[in-house]
Every structure is written in C-alpha cells, then in structure tokens.
Amino acid sequence: MPNANAMYGMQGGYTPYGYYGQSPYGTGHMATMQAAVPPTATSGGYMTPSGTNYTTQPSREESYVENILRLNRGKTATFYMTYENNREWNAKIFKGVIEAAGRDHIIISDSATGMRYLLLMLNLDYVTFDGPINYEYPFQGGVVTPGTPMS
C-alpha cells in the first residue's frame, strides 16, 4: 500500500490537528479542518477556535445546600462543623447571619463581636435556623414552595 502522505501530495506528515504540507500559503503551514461543534471546555462550557471559553449556566437552580443558604441570606443560623484530626477541637459551632454561600464555602457574620467567618462546606455537618427557612425545590419543571399542597 502506498504512503498516505505521498498519495495526497503531503510533504510534512500527519499531526493530531491536521496535515503539514502544501497549503494556499505555501509549504510548511498547517492545513486544518473546521469542526461543526466547538470543543468542550473543562468547565462544561464551549471554547471558540480563538480560545475564548464560554460557560453555560444551568437552566434552573438545583436543591443544593449552597442554594438553600443563598435563599436565606440575612437570616441568623447555627452551623455545626466537624474538623477531623484536630487535637484542640474536633467540633465547633458557629452562629451568625448568612452573608454569602458558594459551592465550597459559607460566609457568616457575628453581630455581637463584628467577626466574619469563612466556613468550608467540607466541614459542615448541619445547619439550624431560629425561624422558618426559605426553600424552593424544582420538581418536574415546576417549583415547590411553602404554599404548594402536600398531596
């Protein structure tokens, strides 16, 4: 069987991105093929040929702890945390006003001391609230709210 490079008039050889060889710009330039779908970026978004990364957002909020905490910003809550392999204190309780919550962290403030705490979700056991919790849960395309009937 003849060499594929010789068959197609290529002089440089095959690379993962295309062929080096003859192109409208002369020899040695890469002749590339355009893909119909942009490559997926590690963040779940898409990357343009120029390298710009576009991220896509989920169509609706999902029921995760950070989303529930975001719905309750400004409320006072008690956070029960566990710190494994810590000789000074294995468990600690923080009480404060929820300022922000992310995928891996919670920011609360203690109005009595003025101290702000950045707590890691990794150490969170559970949270208690002094009053009702704002909570919306997506269910079959709808949203379950406190006013939704139980049956």
Side-chain angles (χ1 to χ4, degrees), residues 13-132:
Y14 182 77
T15 69
Y17 304 106
Y19 285 96
Y20 280 99
Q22 296 176 346
S23 77
Y25 304 107
T27 59
H29 289 83
M30 182 183 287
T32 60
M33 292 185 277
Q34 296 290 328
V37 177
T40 302
T42 57
S43 66
Y46 290 95
M47 190 178 301
T48 65
S50 67
T52 304
N53 186 9
Y54 289 100
T55 57
T56 55
Q57 298 295 321
S59 59
R60 67 183 195 277
E61 288 278 316
E62 296 184 25
S63 182
Y64 292 111
V65 172
E66 67 264 22
N67 294 333
I68 297 167
L69 292 173
R70 284 185 199 127
L71 287 171
N72 290 279
R73 277 184 291 196
K75 291 189 175 188
T76 300
T78 305
F79 298 84
Y80 296 85
M81 314 291 280
T82 302
Y83 300 92
E84 294 180 22
N85 301 320
N86 188 325
R87 293 176 191 211
E88 292 179 36
W89 35 267
N90 181 268
K92 193 156 174 78
I93 300 170
F94 296 89
K95 187 167 185 161
V97 176
I98 301 170
E99 291 191 2
R103 181 179 295 175
D104 65 345
H105 67 279
I106 308 156
I107 300 174
I108 64 170
S109 61
D110 184 349
S111 57
T113 63
M115 184 73 85
R116 285 187 167 67
Y117 297 96
L118 173 62
L119 306 174
L120 300 180
M121 288 282 196
L122 177 71
N123 304 112
L124 181 65
D125 292 326
Y126 63 97
V127 180
T128 60
F129 290 85
D130 295 336

